[in-house]
């Protein structure tokens, strides 16, 4: 079939073929990880190190991102609503928008940039220096030792960071609306509580669980596929961040369509 294609069509065909291969291998890696997740021995030390790396060390970047996102979203919402004399709704739209969409997605993107790239670089370096081959020689399962703790840690810590980001974003939004723009604090809180529901926060957390799986799975997969020394590690790191970010945005759209309560809003 390839003999009948011109160069441009052939490149598209090969890109499509490589994408299908990547999807198949990522899916296989996920099921292999799930198959070993409950088997002993548990790699507790690696797991807790990853919890610390993903959770605690990501807090500064998550804090800054969520704080300024909440502040600018509140500012623009206030300015927009004021044109229609409806600035009292600033708190409600800011609360829903932050907890349901902006904070889960932006937190995941920040974690993908910081942690997903680190996973790809670390595992990629182990791959090109043949440390993974050494693990196999010693009878250690690399998926059990390297992949499973990272997937578990990312899946747990991403929602926790999202909750933390929700709180920071809402504080920043309140500060701008009340102290900078002069909105009545009682009105702001009343309208926010009147229109914002627990489901808005829960739907954001459901998304963040899947984002944690995507970030860790893509980071580990790109690390395992690394070839070509230091240059290959750099390419794997970059492609891990790009692919994870794209998948987070695509997954966010489908979650918006699939979550039943979202469809009623």
């Amino acid at each position: 079939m390839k003999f009948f294609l011109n160069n441009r069509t052939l490149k598209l065909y090969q890109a499509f073929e490589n994408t299908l291969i990547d999807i198949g291998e990522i899916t296989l890696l996920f099921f292999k990880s799930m198959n070993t997740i409950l088997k002993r021995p548990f790699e507790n030390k690696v797991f807790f190190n990853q919890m610390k790396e993903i959770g605690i060390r990501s807090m500064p970047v998550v804090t800054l991102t969520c704080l300024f996102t909440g502040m600018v979203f509140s500012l623009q919402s206030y300015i927009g609503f004021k044109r229609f004399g409806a600035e009292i709704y600033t708190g409600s739209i800011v609360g829903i928008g932050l907890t349901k969409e902006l904070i889960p997605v932006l937190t995941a993107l920040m974690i993908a940039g910081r942690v997903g790239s680190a996973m790809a670089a670390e595992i990629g370096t182990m791959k090109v220096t043949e440390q993974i081959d050494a693990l196999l020689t010693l009878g250690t399962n690399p998926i059990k030792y390297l992949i499973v703790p990272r997937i578990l840690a990312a899946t747990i810590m991403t929602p926790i960071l999202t909750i933390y980001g929700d709180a920071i974003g809402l504080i920043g939004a309140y500060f701008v609306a009340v102290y900078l723009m002069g909105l009545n604090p009682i009105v702001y809180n009343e309208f926010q509580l009147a229109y914002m529901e627990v489901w808005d926060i829960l739907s954001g957390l459901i998304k963040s669980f899947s984002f944690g799986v995507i970030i860790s799975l893509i980071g580990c997969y790109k690390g395992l596929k690394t070839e070509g020394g230091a240059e290959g590690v750099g390419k794997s790191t970059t492609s891990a961040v790009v692919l994870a970010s794209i998948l987070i945005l695509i997954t966010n759209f489908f979650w918006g369509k699939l979550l039943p309560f979202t469809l009623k809003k």
Side-chain angles (χ1 to χ4, degrees):
M1 179 179 175
K2 293 181 180 178
F3 294 108
F4 299 101
L5 302 177
N6 58 36
N7 287 337
R8 188 173 180 181
T9 310
L10 183 61
K11 287 182 180 177
L12 290 174
Y13 175 82
Q14 287 174 338
F16 178 71
E17 189 178 54
N18 291 335
T19 302
L20 290 180
I21 292 172
D22 283 344
I23 292 172
E25 290 181 344
I26 290 170
T27 306
L28 191 62
L29 179 62
F30 175 74
F31 284 111
K32 282 183 177 178
S33 302
M34 293 302 102
N35 189 43
T36 61
I37 202 166
L38 296 177
K39 293 181 180 177
R40 293 178 181 277
F42 300 117
E43 302 296 341
N44 294 329
K45 185 178 179 181
V46 181
F47 171 68
F48 286 114
N49 282 339
Q50 288 300 315
M51 293 270 283
K52 180 180 175 183
E53 180 67 29
I54 298 169
I56 296 174
R57 293 182 179 167
S58 296
M59 286 184 75
V61 69
V62 170
T63 301
L64 289 173
T65 302
C66 295
L67 179 65
F68 284 97
T69 298
M71 291 171 71
V72 75
F73 188 37
S74 178
L75 177 64
Q76 296 300 337
S77 297
Y78 179 88
I79 293 172
F81 279 126
K82 191 173 177 59
R83 295 177 183 175
F84 308 98
E87 60 269 25
I88 56 175
Y89 291 101
T90 300
S92 56
I93 196 67
V94 165
I96 295 171
L98 285 178
T99 57
K100 204 169 186 176
E101 296 293 340
L102 286 176
I103 298 298
V105 172
L106 290 175
T107 300
L109 291 176
M110 290 300 106
I111 296 173
R114 208 192 74 80
V115 178
S117 59
M119 288 181 182
E122 186 179 4
I123 296 176
T125 302
M126 294 180 71
K127 175 76 184 305
V128 297
T129 55
E130 300 181 349
Q131 293 181 56
I132 293 179
D133 293 334
L135 287 175
L136 286 168
T137 305
L138 294 171
T140 302
N141 184 346
I143 292 178
K144 179 72 178 170
Y145 180 72
L146 294 173
I147 313 301
V148 170
R150 284 168 171 78
I151 291 178
L152 280 176
T155 307
I156 293 171
M157 293 311 298
T158 305
I160 292 174
L161 285 171
T162 301
I163 294 176
Y164 171 74
D166 285 343
I168 295 295
L170 291 174
I171 291 171
Y174 179 88
F175 175 79
V176 169
V178 173
Y179 291 102
L180 296 187
M181 307 310 291
L183 197 61
N184 187 305
I186 297 175
V187 172
Y188 181 92
N189 288 327
E190 281 185 354
F191 273 80
Q192 188 169 77
L193 293 173
Y195 289 97
M196 198 176 151
E197 298 180 357
V198 175
W199 177 249
D200 297 326
I201 299 173
L202 291 178
S203 60
L205 295 181
I206 292 171
K207 292 177 183 180
S208 63
F209 272 110
S210 64
F211 296 159
V213 175
I214 289 171
I215 293 165
S216 53
L217 199 58
I218 298 299
C220 294
Y221 171 73
K222 288 296 181 182
L224 291 173
K225 293 285 289 183
T226 301
E227 293 178 346
E231 185 181 358
V233 173
K235 289 180 179 177
S236 295
T237 304
T238 304
S239 61
V241 176
V242 172
L243 182 58
S245 300
I246 291 171
L247 287 178
I248 286 168
L249 296 174
I250 293 173
T251 306
N252 183 55
F253 169 77
F254 285 104
W255 270 127
K257 298 294 288 181
L258 288 173
L259 291 174
F261 288 95
T262 303
L263 295 175
K264 295 180 181 179
K265 304 281 182 194

